[in-house]
Amino acid sequence: MVKYPLEPYRIKVVERIRTTTRAEREQILKEAGYNLFLVKGEDCLIDLLTDSGTSAMSDEQWAGLVRGDESYASSRSFFRFERVVKEITGFTHVIPTHQGRASERILFSIMGGEGKTVPNNTHFDTTRANVEFSGATALDLAIPEARIPAEEHPFKGNIDLTALEQLIEEQGTENIPLVMITITNNTSGGQPVSLENIRAAREVCDRAGLPLFIDACRFAENAWFIKEREPGQGDRSIAEIAGEIFSYADGCTMSAKKDGLVNIGGFLGLHDDELAVKAKNLLILTEGFTTYGGLAGRDLEAIAQGLEEVLEDDYLTCRINQVRSLGEAISEAGVPIVKPTGGHAIYIDARAMLPHIPPLEYPGQAFVIELYREAGIRAVEIGSVMFAHRDPETGEELPADLDLVRLAIPRRVYTQSHLEYVAEAVRAVFERRDSIHGVRITEQAPMLRHFNARFSPLEDK
Ligand code: F0G
């Protein structure tokens, strides 16, 4: 069989992307304080900052925008959206929201609170922030393999069931409002969670009488990995596998900006009637009426269509193999990456690649700068800049556990040749890695500093 990750779509509309000269990029970097968040999108030839809200929509989705019913209440588009989400997830209540974090905010406003602990395989930043904002503690319980970048494991996103049971025993169920599983596990490298692990987590929850929630942003990519890797799953459809995943859950939060194949949108899926009433009351307060939740009718139409398209086998096969082939093209050259490659991104281990740069001279940021300088490619540091924390006693800055760089691949946006260009650029930077210097921070905000910090290259010292 031909293995080439052929895109199962052809191009109908194109968007110009701009090549800059090295001298221009040098100037752009300087003006942006060497922070890629501060570089203009149009100055990026290939933008791998995120796979969130960056998908290319299909002709059918664009047609859906025109078909969108903009009635304030109970629009036709809502009912189509609700029907598709119910068909895929089986949830009794489907509450639209403007994006994933709005669903999280509503869920944890109701279920979080002081003294409570919410376990997850790994909380995504906004999930953690919403849990903590409610006063509760967000606890990561990924399996130990998840913390070792080079360790191969077919389901490296799994939740550690022994640790989960231990937590329940120690804390008692009254202080654990729910258990969450993020599929795929973004923070640990876009790694999938097995059906067996979700089923077993359900059993743990049943024994303890706790609800299980899924952070479903990349549910279709996760289902594809289950089909490929889990014994006995190869002959099932993605929709069947996704249906089984959701059948173990009491609810889900969803950012449709990922596997909804749209640029904005999300939802909260629930079975519990009482919880749904509370969630809808909060929804009306900040998002909008229960049948639009902060979205336009056309957005609901595009999500419904996107959710049908994302389950197509040929789309997912191309998607995951695109990511995999980029991973292989750079790891064969010796670039250390998180293995195995996950669903939506390649994570480069910048600390391993640049051992001469100490963590507090930010090897991840140094690599991100160099990749832009080399080829106009925007990636994101996920390391000591992003996860800054301080020793509570001395106030001294402490490095993050890992210094990674994420190359997130937007859905249906780039072709195989774009990714070959990316691979070539990464290899070129890797080859001259010994000459790369660290950076120091010259300006930073007290929180979430990665968005606005300014840096200065250390060779200019
Ligand atoms: N959960 C996961 C696992 C995510 O990856 C994200 C977003 C969210 C929740 C929040 O969704 O952005 O729609 O509010 N991840 C993006 C990223 C931002 O770049 O990984 P949102």
Side-chain angles (χ1 to χ4, degrees):
M1 213 182 93
V2 179
K3 281 236 171 123
Y4 191 84
L6 177 90
E7 294 89 358
Y9 37 83
R10 57 185 174 184
I11 294 161
K12 188 175 282 194
V13 175
V14 295
E15 182 183 359
R16 183 91 168 86
I17 50 178
R18 188 169 91 89
T19 310
T20 45
T21 63
R22 204 182 172 91
E24 281 174 321
R25 290 195 293 278
E26 201 55 70
Q27 188 57 29
I28 290 164
L29 278 170
K30 212 174 259 175
E31 282 167 17
Y34 297 89
N35 184 341
L36 275 292
F37 280 103
L38 304 179
V39 169
K40 289 184 187 140
E42 63 187 4
D43 288 336
C44 299
L45 180 63
I46 308 249
D47 197 349
L48 307 183
L49 190 63
T50 179
D51 66 317
S52 180
T54 51
S55 297
M57 292 207 295
S58 67
D59 50 355
E60 289 297 331
Q61 284 177 296
W62 283 104
L65 295 194
V66 181
R67 277 198 299 268
D69 172 1
E70 303 303 342
S71 305
Y72 185 91
S74 304
S75 73
R76 185 181 63 236
S77 299
F78 169 72
F79 291 114
R80 178 178 179 210
F81 162 82
E82 185 188 45
R83 178 179 55 75
V84 172
V85 176
K86 282 188 175 177
E87 272 168 17
I88 294 171
T89 67
F91 289 121
T92 319
H93 303 281
V94 177
I95 301 171
T97 58
H98 81 272
Q99 62 185 91
R101 67 197 70 184
S103 311
E104 294 164 358
R105 165 98 162 118
I106 290 170
L107 181 66
F108 294 111
S109 300
I110 303 166
M111 299 192 72
E114 291 291 338
K116 295 187 177 161
T117 300
V118 180
N120 199 329
N121 44 355
T122 313
H123 288 274
F124 179 68
D125 320 17
T126 59
T127 325
R128 170 173 287 279
N130 276 298
V131 168
E132 290 175 350
F133 189 71
S134 80
T137 303
L139 190 67
D140 291 339
L141 295 179
I143 54 169
E145 289 86 343
R147 283 185 280 278
I148 312 164
E151 181 94 13
E152 295 268 0
H153 188 293
F155 292 103
K156 216 174 168 178
N158 282 357
I159 190 163
D160 185 335
L161 296 161
T162 316
L164 179 62
E165 286 193 288
Q166 219 167 0
L167 173 80
I168 294 171
E169 204 171 296
E170 282 165 19
Q171 299 241 337
T173 50
E174 59 286 2
N175 292 323
I176 303 174
L178 58 94
V179 173
M180 202 154 190
I181 298 183
T182 302
I183 63 172
T184 56
N185 189 348
N186 181 4
T187 311
S188 84
Q191 300 292 334
V193 178
S194 71
L195 207 47
E196 191 190 9
N197 189 252
I198 300 171
R199 199 182 297 129
R202 171 78 264 169
E203 284 163 14
V204 171
C205 287
D206 280 343
R207 283 198 292 278
L210 291 177
L212 177 66
F213 274 70
I214 305 268
D215 176 336
C217 299
R218 300 178 180 86
F219 76 98
E221 289 169 6
N222 199 98
W224 192 92
F225 280 114
I226 289 174
K227 182 176 163 79
E228 187 194 50
R229 293 183 185 165
E230 196 154 341
Q233 300 298 323
D235 292 332
R236 300 178 78 192
S237 71
I238 298 295
E240 271 177 296
I241 296 171
E244 185 174 342
I245 293 174
F246 288 114
S247 76
Y248 297 126
D250 297 279
C252 80
T253 54
M254 172 76 186
S255 167
K257 297 173 75 173
K258 286 79 165 171
D259 275 351
L261 297 177
V262 289
N263 307 117
I264 196 72
F267 58 85
L268 185 58
L270 297 169
H271 280 309
D272 187 293
D273 297 338
E274 216 176 297
L275 189 56
V277 169
K278 288 184 187 161
K280 285 179 187 176
N281 288 340
L282 283 177
L283 186 85
I284 291 173
L285 205 59
T286 58
E287 294 278 304
F289 185 63
T290 54
T291 60
Y292 75 86
L295 295 168
R298 56 178 169 269
D299 297 326
L300 295 167
E301 202 68 44
I303 298 171
Q305 180 65 29
L307 286 171
E308 286 179 341
E309 292 174 8
V310 81
L311 296 173
E312 287 163 5
D313 217 54
D314 57 355
Y315 156 72
L316 281 169
T317 301
C318 165
R319 161 82 179 150
I320 310 269
N321 283 327
Q322 252 198 347
V323 175
R324 182 178 298 167
S325 75
L326 173 60
E328 281 169 3
I330 62 176
S331 101
E332 277 162 12
V335 178
I337 63 169
V338 172
K339 289 194 172 162
T341 51
H344 67 288
I346 298 297
Y347 292 71
I348 295 173
D349 185 347
R351 195 179 292 174
M353 186 209 272
L354 304 168
H356 58 285
I357 303 182
L360 291 180
E361 290 180 14
Y362 312 112
Q365 189 62 26
F367 179 81
V368 160
I369 293 167
E370 217 46 47
L371 188 62
Y372 181 78
R373 184 181 274 137
E374 177 75 29
I377 298 165
R378 171 153 69 175
V380 66
E381 191 257 15
I382 301 194
S384 301
V385 176
M386 188 177 275
F387 297 121
H389 59 295
R390 294 191 178 271
D391 185 312
E393 260 146 49
T394 62
E396 191 191 346
E397 183 174 335
L398 301 170
D401 292 344
L402 298 170
D403 279 295
L404 303 178
V405 167
R406 183 177 79 168
L407 307 174
I409 316 297
R411 293 168 182 77
R412 302 194 294 210
V413 170
Y414 294 117
T415 63
Q416 192 58 15
S417 89
H418 287 119
L419 297 183
E420 282 168 19
Y421 171 86
V422 173
E424 193 181 322
V426 171
R427 288 194 300 259
V429 172
F430 177 67
E431 269 154 33
R432 56 181 169 76
R433 62 193 176 283
D434 293 341
S435 67
I436 299 175
H437 297 270
V439 294
R440 97 189 142 80
I441 296 181
T442 54
E443 261 179 63
Q444 59 181 303
M447 278 171 73
L448 298 174
R449 66 178 184 179
H450 55 287
F451 291 124
N452 288 310
R454 298 183 80 83
F455 302 88
S456 156
L458 278 170
E459 74 254 48
D460 295 347
K461 252 191 306 206

